[in-house]
Amino acid sequence: MDLNLTREEVAFRDEFRSWLASNVPNDWSRWREKPLEESFSYLRAWQRRLHEGGWAAVSWPKEYGGRGATLMQQAIFWEEMARVEAPPMANALGLGLIGPTIIAYGTDAQKKRFIPKILSAEEIWCQGFSEPNAGSDLAALQTEARLDDGDYVVNGQKVWTSYGWVGDWCELVVRTDPAAPKHKGLTVLLVDMKSRGVEVRPLRQMTGESEFNELFFRDVRVPIENVLGKVNDGWNVAVSTLMYERGSYGARLHLLFKRNISRLIELARSVPRNGRSAAEDPLIRQKLAQCFAEIEIMRLNQLRAFSRITATGVPGPEGSIQKIFWSELNQRVQQLAQEILGPYGHLLAADPHAIDKGLWSYGYLRTRGNTIEAGTSEVQRNIIGHFVLGLPRSY
Ligand SMILES: Cc1cc2nc3c(=O)[nH]c(=O)nc-3n(C[C@H](O)[C@H](O)[C@H](O)COP(=O)(O)OP(=O)(O)OC[C@H]3O[C@@H](n4cnc5c(N)ncnc54)[C@H](O)[C@@H]3O)c2cc1C
């Protein structure tokens, strides 16, 4: 594996770096600690600016408004974003998962209708997959859609729908053939969230935010033109979305983690512990060094995944390996932050004594969800056990 950047990659990096130098907003730190509900219009404006510069979806093909970037260029893009501490983009699911699925499975009319507004953040997308009795076992979902006079009529409930509160459109997986085996009778619909019969209820998380929602569908009419892919082939379409979801995280996380550990090392030097600085405590030093080493391992694993995809054209089990590794590592780093900061680590943004404006208490609580979202750690281990180690299925 050659880890040096090619001439083209250096040119790509320099072009984006210079664009960022004159475009990245310098007041993100003031917004970052506000709840997502308040900072959302700021993030929407930031995505619009990236889009105007041609940087909103570098991985997408050029004909759909992307740059056709290679995997290494995508990694460079996220590294540069993290290096300057750029804000995230508002339409995270539209850009990362749903847009690519529409590009892969959509009709020309669907691509023309939806893709430009995903890029410009004019329409925000959410992902209606999980249900109260269908999370890890997604194919058990019960939300049904019946054909009636040229429309599908949808009834049922989704849960944990991130961005449901701000979503204009939803990639919804429904059961269209209840008699078929559970993986076979599913279809993906593109649903206008303003349709009559859609109700969005907030779910309050332990961070205090309502980042995700419950969605209720009562006799919601969806035109047949809004089927994505083929009727009753929704499992394949949904799995494609999940592959994009698992693959899209790693590259952008490494530098964020690196920034966290550097900040923690800095804090350990100044926070007192047993009559000296935390940095002088042998156990804390070892844990900091361990996390630092693991963050480097995460980077190398990501490069290995890129190298494999570049060589074979197919994503391997690295997506699951990376997902387990980053999500559990993130929890260990946040746990260590709590050990270093003691009771100060619990203080929320509103408290004048909170360290780093409450980001550590927020981080500790929010990272609990990392090992659940985009497939739990147990499910990722099942995938590795079965597809990598050749062990029998566990279910
Ligand atoms: C922050 C966050 C954001 C999310 N955003 C969305 C979203 O936008 N859209 C959406 O559709 N969903 C979303 N989800 C839901 C997420 O996909 C599910 O929570 C996840 O798939 C797990 O499903 P579940 O909660 O029903 O748990 P369950 O599947 O009921 O699992 C419960 C426990 O059993 C374990 N388990 C289940 N099956 C097995 C097995 N076969 N072998 C071993 N252990 C098993 C699990 O690992 C878990 O520990 C989000 C979740 C979180 C935390």
Side-chain angles (χ1 to χ4, degrees):
M1 186 196 301
D2 182 0
L3 297 181
N4 294 313
L5 297 185
T6 62
R7 203 145 22 104
E8 292 76 29
E9 286 160 358
V10 170
F12 179 91
R13 182 199 64 194
D14 291 348
E15 187 188 349
F16 188 43
R17 200 173 270 188
S18 96
W19 186 88
L20 280 173
S22 42
N23 285 283
V24 75
N26 55 16
D27 58 349
W28 171 230
S29 57
R30 275 201 293 120
W31 286 87
R32 163 151 70 193
E33 64 265 13
K34 294 189 198 293
L36 191 59
E37 295 92 317
E38 282 176 45
S39 60
F40 202 77
S41 53
Y42 179 95
L43 301 182
R44 213 191 263 264
W46 165 233
Q47 182 180 326
R48 202 171 311 126
R49 192 185 294 192
L50 277 157
H51 172 51
E52 283 157 10
W55 295 105
V58 293
S59 63
W60 291 16
K62 286 188 182 149
E63 57 182 306
Y64 299 113
R67 288 188 176 238
T70 61
L71 283 168
M72 193 50 97
Q73 287 172 332
Q74 292 170 44
I76 292 168
F77 173 86
W78 288 113
E79 286 199 1
E80 290 303 309
M81 288 277 278
R83 197 180 54 78
V84 297
E85 304 200 16
M89 287 184 258
N91 209 0
L93 301 186
L95 291 168
L97 332 179
I98 300 166
T101 314
I102 294 177
I103 290 172
Y105 287 92
T107 60
D108 287 343
Q110 286 171 341
K111 291 178 198 171
K112 204 161 153 217
R113 162 67 188 81
F114 294 116
I115 292 296
K117 292 187 178 183
I118 291 179
L119 284 168
S120 63
E122 236 172 303
E123 289 177 344
I124 302 298
W125 281 75
C126 59
Q127 182 191 5
F129 283 30
S130 306
E131 296 184 1
N133 291 312
S136 302
D137 186 11
L138 180 62
L141 64 89
Q142 293 299 322
T143 296
E144 58 148 37
R146 238 174 343 92
L147 203 49
D148 175 58
D149 198 18
D151 290 336
Y152 275 102
V153 179
V154 179
N155 279 287
Q157 185 198 342
K158 296 289 171 178
V159 71
W160 317 126
T161 317
S162 307
Y163 300 95
W165 53 277
V166 76
D168 298 293
W169 286 86
C170 180
E171 180 189 351
L172 189 74
V173 193
V174 293
R175 186 163 300 284
T176 35
D177 183 357
K182 67 177 183 178
H183 292 86
K184 303 273 185 204
L186 304 176
T187 300
V188 170
L189 299 176
L190 305 176
V191 178
D192 184 346
M193 292 288 283
K194 291 174 194 78
S195 310
R196 186 135 52 96
V198 177
E199 188 192 343
V200 181
R201 292 188 198 160
L203 283 169
R204 174 110 10 219
Q205 293 156 251
M206 62 182 165
T207 53
E209 293 175 306
S210 292
E211 186 189 358
F212 48 31
N213 305 82
E214 288 181 297
L215 306 184
F216 293 88
F217 297 86
R218 287 192 197 89
D219 292 329
V220 177
R221 298 194 79 87
V222 181
I224 199 162
E225 307 84 80
N226 287 13
V227 170
L228 182 63
K230 294 195 187 113
V231 172
N232 294 332
D233 188 37
W235 181 250
N236 286 325
V237 180
V239 165
S240 227
T241 303
L242 294 173
M243 300 275 278
Y244 290 119
E245 184 172 27
R246 283 164 202 170
S248 69
Y249 278 116
R252 67 186 92 169
L253 287 174
H254 161 250
L255 282 192
L256 296 176
F257 284 22
K258 202 143 190 182
R259 208 163 63 212
N260 273 349
I261 196 75
S262 304
R263 176 71 186 128
L264 211 46
I265 292 168
E266 203 184 304
L267 282 171
R269 291 186 208 281
S270 58
V271 170
R273 188 180 172 91
N274 299 331
R276 53 188 172 174
S277 79
E280 289 170 272
D281 180 305
L283 283 179
I284 295 290
R285 292 163 63 90
Q286 284 184 22
K287 287 182 184 176
L288 282 168
Q290 180 69 27
C291 286
F292 188 85
E294 289 178 13
I295 291 168
E296 187 57 16
I297 291 171
M298 179 177 146
R299 184 175 80 86
L300 295 172
N301 255 334
Q302 186 66 44
L303 289 172
R304 184 166 60 177
F306 282 173
S307 185
R308 178 187 158 113
I309 299 175
T310 308
T312 64
V314 212
E318 291 84 0
S320 290
I321 296 174
Q322 277 289 86
K323 169 74 211 315
I324 295 175
F325 199 78
W326 76 253
S327 55
E328 297 186 355
L329 172 58
N330 206 12
Q331 291 176 351
R332 285 195 290 281
V333 172
Q334 293 294 340
Q335 172 69 42
L336 177 56
Q338 292 299 320
E339 279 181 52
I340 292 173
L341 301 176
Y344 285 95
H346 299 199
L347 299 178
L348 302 173
D351 194 295
H353 300 291
I355 292 174
D356 294 336
K357 301 189 172 139
L359 280 181
W360 296 104
S361 61
Y362 174 85
Y364 179 76
L365 296 173
R366 179 59 184 83
T367 54
R368 306 319 294 170
N370 289 165
T371 45
I372 303 172
E373 61 196 315
T376 67
S377 286
E378 290 77 16
V379 165
Q380 307 298 344
R381 288 193 173 90
N382 281 344
I383 292 171
I384 295 168
H386 183 67
F387 292 102
V388 182
L389 306 180
L391 301 175
R393 272 187 189 277
S394 65
Y395 52 97

